[in-house]
Amino acid sequence: MPGLTIGDTLPDLEVETTHGKIKLHDYVSKSNFTIIFSHPGDFTPVCTTELGAMAAYADKFAERGVQLLGLSADDVSSHERWIKDIEAYNNGSKVTYPIAADPQRQIIKELNMVDPDEKDSSGQQVPSRALHIVGPDKKIKLSFLYPASTGRNMDEVVRVLDSLQRASQHKVATPANWKPGDKVVISPGVSSDEAKQMFPQGFESVNLPSNKDYLRFTNVD
Ligand code: BEZ
């Protein structure tokens, strides 16, 4: 994927939002993680469900020390009118997070959020359903890139945050279909001697035909 991706530093742009001007580096340094997510346009169906779902998950994000920043190309006054629809459709869940405007399409280019296939009615580029999770060190930790046709699964957003938090606190990674409470795997860079020190709760190595001792499960919850 060309453009901004995992490990890169978020550009320090100043963006207009429904909460006033925000400097991205100041904003992301205030939380464990910041989710910056774009959507193709205001007053469109899937986007209305997505932004409402993000509002309904506000407590889950707050519990994890995670803040949000939405973004579309429409201007702030359009966002403000559209928020009333989002809240009405989503049983009154309040959109408490800021939504950035990008009428010049500058931000979506710099944040690698341009949809290559979609254009608006005046032929201008529109954002994809991109989502970056950014750490307080201003680096991109994880990105999703979905087309306009496919709304994101907010449970998956929460699940990957839980995975990122485990990995940032311990030398572990989370296996396929992991969910909180399941065992995690010890990172491959940790030797078994180091693992004995790091994981006094113990770990189980899986016997594999290669006889290589790399698939080691432990609990960190
Ligand atoms: C939607 O949000 O439903 C949508 C937006 C742009 C293109 C297709 C779908």
Side-chain angles (χ1 to χ4, degrees), residues 40-41 44-48 118 126 129 148-149:
T44 55
V46 176
C47 302
T48 302
E118 294 284 337
V126 294
R129 296 189 197 286
S149 58

Side-chain angles (χ1 to χ4, degrees), residues 1 22 24 28 36-37 43 64 68 77 85 91 93 95 101 116 132 145 155 171 173 197 200 208 211 214 219 221:
M1 185 165 85
I22 287 180
L24 293 184
V28 301
I36 306 180
F37 63 106
F43 302 102
R64 290 165 174 79
L68 307 178
S77 68
D85 286 2
N91 303 317
S93 287
V95 176
H132 296 304
L145 188 55
D155 288 328
K171 294 223 167 186
Q197 304 291 320
L208 295 166
N211 284 321
Y214 62 91
N219 282 303
D221 288 323

Side-chain angles (χ1 to χ4, degrees), residues 5-172:
T5 190
I6 298 176
D8 291 347
T9 299
L10 181 74
D12 191 16
L13 307 176
E14 185 171 75
V15 301
E16 296 278 357
T17 82
T18 48
H19 293 196
K21 283 196 167 113
I22 287 180
K23 286 270 284 171
L24 293 184
H25 280 194
D26 292 345
Y27 192 67
V28 301
S29 60
K30 289 185 186 130
S31 281
N32 291 342
F33 291 109
T34 300
I35 301 176
I36 306 180
F37 63 106
S38 62
H39 54 274
D42 296 2
F43 302 102
T44 55
V46 176
C47 302
T48 302
T49 63
E50 282 195 319
L51 273 84
M54 289 303 246
Y57 277 48
D59 290 349
K60 293 182 201 284
F61 294 125
E63 276 163 21
R64 290 165 174 79
V66 173
Q67 62 182 357
L68 307 178
L69 175 61
L71 186 152
S72 87
D74 301 286
D75 62 26
V76 166
S77 68
S78 165
H79 293 343
E80 282 165 349
R81 291 191 304 276
W82 182 41
I83 283 170
K84 296 191 179 89
D85 286 2
I86 299 169
E87 292 178 345
Y89 173 70
N90 291 281
N91 303 317
S93 287
K94 292 283 172 209
V95 176
T96 53
Y97 54 84
I99 307 176
D102 187 21
Q104 306 306 319
R105 277 60 173 174
Q106 195 52 38
I107 307 167
I108 60 170
K109 285 181 198 144
E110 296 223 28
L111 300 192
N112 194 19
M113 291 173 152
V114 176
D115 190 319
D117 292 334
E118 294 284 337
K119 297 272 184 298
D120 69 12
S121 53
S122 58
Q124 292 207 80
Q125 291 177 307
V126 294
S128 55
R129 296 189 197 286
L131 182 153
H132 296 304
I133 300 183
V134 188
D137 60 358
K138 305 162 184 91
K139 297 219 185 272
I140 307 291
K141 306 298 179 190
L142 183 145
S143 294
F144 291 167
L145 188 55
Y146 282 33
S149 58
T150 308
R152 287 157 284 196
N153 181 326
M154 303 319 169
D155 288 328
E156 175 63 1
V157 176
V158 173
R159 191 190 75 90
V160 299
L161 283 166
D162 287 336
S163 167
L164 290 171
Q165 286 185 329
R166 300 296 186 289
S168 69
Q169 287 158 5
H170 310 275
K171 294 223 167 186
V172 299

